[in-house]
Structures are given as C-alpha cells and as structure tokens.
Amino acid sequence: MVVTFSEMSQKIKAVLDPFDARIDFAFYLSTNDNQFILHGDQTMPSASVIKLMIADYYCSNFSIDELKNTQYEIRETVFGAGITPILDEKRFSLADLIMMMLALSDNTASNQLIDFIGIEKLSQWISRHYPSTRLSRKFMDFTNPKDNQTTVYDLAAALTNLMAFPLAKKALFNQQSLDKFEISFAESGEEKVDFFNKTGEGIGIDHDAILFDEKNQKTIAVLLTKYDPKIVSRIEIVDLFSKIGALIWDNFHD
C-alpha cells in the first residue's frame, strides 16, 4: 500500500524520536513537492561529506577538458580512506582526483584538490555558495583544532548541484559497496531507479546523503549523526540508518 509523504515522515520521526536525547542528529527528506526536516539548522562535523562541496567548486569553475588535461603531482600522502598512498603512480589529472575523492573518499586526493587551489580560496568559495559549511582544515590534519562543518540543507543543495556534472554523477552513481548493503540508506538492483550518494564516518560520526532519481521524481535524504561511542554503540546508529532507509525505499517502490 502506498503511503503519503506525511505518513512516511511520521514513521521516520517515530524512529528518530528515541534518539533525540541521546545523540545529536539532523535529518532532511525532500521530493519534488514535499520536505520533512528535523534539526535542519544544526551544524555538524562534516567528515567526508564536505567532499561534495569541494567537487562542486571544481566542476563549477573548470571545464571537463581542463579537469582532464590539468595534471597534478601528489607530494604528500595521508592515511585513512583511499588508495593513492599504495599506488606507484603519483601524477593524476584533476578529473582523476575528483573521481577518487568521491567514489573512494580518498583523503590524499581530496587534500591535493585543496592544495591545488589553496584552502583559503576554496573555503571562501564554499562559504559563499553553502553558507553554513566551513572548510577549516585538510583531511587527517589533527593538528588543527578547527573541524570542518556543514548542515543537511547545504548537503542536499550540493548533491543536487552535482547532478549537473557528468563527472560527479559518474563518481557518485551507485557507489556504495556490497558490504554496506542495508547498513546505510537502502539500495536496489532495479534499473528504473538511479541513486547517487556520499557517506562520511569518524569516531562518533556517521553521515549519509543520497539522491534517488526515478523518471521525473527526485528524492533526497540526508542524515547526519554525532554521538558518544561510550554511550551509544555504532551498531545502534547503523541500525538507525537501516530502518530509515527501509522506510524510504519501501515507499519508493510500493
């Protein structure tokens, strides 16, 4: 049975309400005609989801030919997500770096894109286009006390904006690996629905932003969570994402 957007929203609220006093979270859900938002103005540590804004800067300010033809040599690698630290090749096009940043969440590739344009110029552009987002440091730079910040509103806008750029769409398309199946927002093998998403993780941080595209209907869902792992287990958070994803997906193909 198909449920209305209002009914689906109330079911999601019932899942999130028990967490309201236990964790910090922000949730955003929209279709072509409706929105449902909880704690939408809450600024959260961004983890890797801010990479959407970095990609938007490059896609908005460089042509695809410029991105493919401009080469940049990696001079410093960092650990965490990604494959660049183990590759023999150290020279990549900007397009390659964007693909690795989005599809693999590669931290070294992301830092090279920050260095290429400069963190001050890049952070200023991001703040102008995404007013509640702050790029304050590079990835894995724990010497900087400031953290990168964003909101569900800005992430929904960034994900929407990136759909105009084939390079970004390719990197974000169906990107979650099988070991995340049913852990984050639900996925499907049905060809009629395309989805594009970016996750972010850290100690006490789990985020997901996803856009479903079915014919003329676009659905965007963003859930940002911040919690104390000593009080709330990550298993509970993973289960939270799974339950919300199931509610959204069940409504999608009923």
Side-chain angles (χ1 to χ4, degrees), residues 7-239:
E7 289 170 332
M8 177 176 61
S9 300
Q10 290 308 305
K11 289 181 179 181
I12 291 172
K13 185 175 185 300
V15 172
L16 286 167
D17 275 349
F19 287 87
D20 215 348
R22 303 177 63 210
I23 70 172
D24 293 328
F25 73 84
F27 180 72
Y28 174 101
L29 177 67
S30 71
T31 63
N32 292 358
D33 305 312
N34 299 283
Q35 280 190 342
F36 172 66
I37 300 156
L38 291 171
H39 307 309
D41 292 326
Q42 182 158 334
T43 302
M44 303 280 277
S46 68
S48 286
V49 290
I50 200 171
K51 293 169 183 176
L52 293 173
M53 288 75 167
I54 297 173
D56 188 22
Y57 169 83
Y58 277 92
C59 291
S60 296
N61 290 281
F62 292 80
S63 70
I64 187 61
D65 287 339
E66 289 173 324
L67 293 175
K68 288 181 176 179
N69 295 327
T70 304
Q71 300 287 313
Y72 192 73
E73 184 175 353
I74 292 177
R75 298 180 177 87
E76 180 182 7
T77 60
V78 294
F79 293 101
I83 62 169
T84 47
I86 64 172
L87 295 178
D88 292 331
E89 179 63 44
K90 296 301 178 186
R91 192 169 183 84
F92 301 94
S93 69
L94 294 178
D96 290 336
L97 293 174
I98 292 168
M99 285 292 295
M100 289 189 287
M101 175 178 71
L102 293 180
L104 303 174
S105 206
D106 193 298
N107 288 326
T108 295
S110 305
N111 284 350
Q112 304 313 300
L113 290 167
I114 293 172
D115 287 342
F116 181 82
I117 200 64
I119 191 168
E120 183 175 353
K121 181 176 180 179
L122 181 57
S123 62
Q124 288 174 353
W125 187 93
I126 289 174
S127 294
R128 285 198 306 271
H129 291 79
Y130 300 100
S132 298
T133 299
R134 297 291 179 268
L135 177 67
S136 300
R137 63 171 176 84
K138 296 198 293 185
F139 296 94
M140 307 304 288
D141 179 8
F142 301 116
T143 63
N144 190 331
K146 293 184 178 180
D147 204 352
N148 300 328
Q149 304 280 331
T150 193
T151 63
V152 291
Y153 288 115
D154 282 359
L155 287 168
L159 199 53
T160 300
N161 292 339
L162 287 175
M163 294 301 100
F165 305 108
L167 175 67
K169 286 187 72 173
K170 181 180 179 182
L172 296 170
F173 179 64
N174 288 17
Q175 71 145 290
Q176 293 200 61
S177 58
L178 291 176
D179 64 344
K180 284 195 171 184
F181 187 72
E182 295 186 349
I183 289 182
S184 197
F185 289 111
E187 302 177 6
S188 169
E190 298 183 19
E191 294 182 1
K192 67 176 182 177
V193 180
D194 292 333
F195 65 87
F196 309 84
N197 83 294
K198 184 76 190 77
T199 61
E201 296 86 24
I203 298 175
I205 295 172
D206 276 283
H207 304 329
D208 204 347
I210 189 166
L211 184 149
F212 293 100
D213 190 353
E214 181 182 27
K215 298 179 181 178
N216 296 322
Q217 175 72 29
K218 287 183 172 59
T219 300
I220 298 175
V222 183
L223 177 58
L224 307 180
T225 66
K226 180 184 177 185
Y227 55 95
D228 185 344
K230 297 178 181 177
I231 299 173
V232 180
S233 73
R234 189 165 189 260
I235 293 175
E236 287 185 86
I237 301 300
V238 165
D239 186 57

Side-chain angles (χ1 to χ4, degrees), residues 238-251:
V238 165
D239 186 57
L240 174 64
F241 275 86
S242 181
K243 287 178 178 177
I244 293 175
L247 287 171
I248 296 170
W249 188 248
D250 286 346
N251 183 67

